Amino acid sequence: MDIGPGPRVFVGVDRSIPGLAALRFAVAEARRRGTDLHAVRVASVLTLTETKEIDAAFDEALGGFPADVTVHRELLVGAVADTLARRARNPEDVLIVGTDGAGRWHGLWSRSISRECLRKAHCPVLIVPGPQMAIEVRRRRWLPHHRELLSGLDFDAPIAQS
C-alpha cells in the first residue's frame, strides 16, 4: 500500500512582514518535524526574478538559507490560495502562510489569501500573524485617511468585558 511522500512542510513565500514571519516559522516547523521545507512562490506570470524573490525572502527573514534544513524552491503559476492548497494536497502536509492581521472588516471587502487557504486546503494550515508593530503601523496609516468615518469614537476607552 502506497502511503504517499510522508509529511511535508510548505510555506507561501512573499516579502511582506507577515510573509517573512511565516517563513521563519516554517523553517522552525521543518526542523521540529525533521523534514524538508518547500518554499512556494506563486505568481500570475512567471518571470526570471521570481527565484530571486525567494532568495531575497530567506535573506531578509533569516540572513540566508538555513544550513540544517533542505529547502526546495518552487515557482508556480495561478491564483495564490488555490495553487498553495493544491500543492499541499496530502493530509500529512502542513501549509504555513502569513496574515497581515487586517481583521474581519477587511475580510468583508477583500479576499484574504490565508482564509482562502484555510477553506480550500486538505491539510492543516498554520496562519502566522505579522509582528504587532507591523499591525500597528498599518492601522496608523489607515486611521488618518478614514478619520471622518470614525468620528465620535473613543479609541482610548476601555473595551467592556462580558
Side-chain angles (χ1 to χ4, degrees), residues 11-16 18-19 22 40-44 78-86 95-103 106-121 125-128 138:
V11 61
V13 176
D14 71 7
R15 291 173 59 195
S16 67
V40 182
R41 172 99 176 147
V42 181
S44 57
V80 176
D82 291 333
T83 305
L84 288 173
R86 277 195 317 269
L95 174 60
I96 301 171
V97 293
T99 183
D100 62 2
H106 180 72
L108 290 174
W109 303 108
S110 67
R111 288 293 210 190
S112 165
I113 291 171
S114 58
R115 287 184 191 185
E116 287 292 310
C117 286
L118 192 60
R119 190 171 64 81
K120 295 177 180 187
V125 177
L126 296 173
I127 300 175
V128 179
R138 179 186 171 112

Side-chain angles (χ1 to χ4, degrees), residues 55-150:
D55 296 346
F58 273 93
D59 286 341
E60 291 173 12
L62 301 159
F65 286 93
D68 59 338
V69 174
T70 301
V71 177
H72 302 277
R73 296 181 300 176
E74 300 181 16
L75 302 174
L76 302 174
V77 176
V80 176
D82 291 333
T83 305
L84 288 173
R86 277 195 317 269
R87 183 64 187 101
R89 63 189 170 275
N90 297 324
E92 304 86 26
D93 294 340
V94 63
L95 174 60
I96 301 171
V97 293
T99 183
D100 62 2
R104 293 181 188 148
W105 291 108
H106 180 72
L108 290 174
W109 303 108
S110 67
R111 288 293 210 190
S112 165
I113 291 171
S114 58
R115 287 184 191 185
E116 287 292 310
C117 286
L118 192 60
R119 190 171 64 81
K120 295 177 180 187
H122 295 284
C123 67
V125 177
L126 296 173
I127 300 175
V128 179
Q132 186 63 33
M133 185 176 90
I135 295 167
E136 289 297 318
V137 167
R138 179 186 171 112
R139 190 182 83 182
R140 289 172 196 255
R141 285 184 188 161
W142 185 85
L143 279 175
H145 301 293
H146 299 86
R147 190 135 332 254
E148 68 279 356
L149 296 173
L150 306 172

Side-chain angles (χ1 to χ4, degrees), residues 33-65:
R33 291 175 178 235
T35 188
D36 296 353
L37 175 64
H38 297 264
V40 182
R41 172 99 176 147
V42 181
S44 57
V45 177
L46 285 183
T47 64
L48 296 174
T49 61
E50 296 301 330
T51 303
K52 293 178 184 173
E53 288 292 315
I54 295 174
D55 296 346
F58 273 93
D59 286 341
E60 291 173 12
L62 301 159
F65 286 93

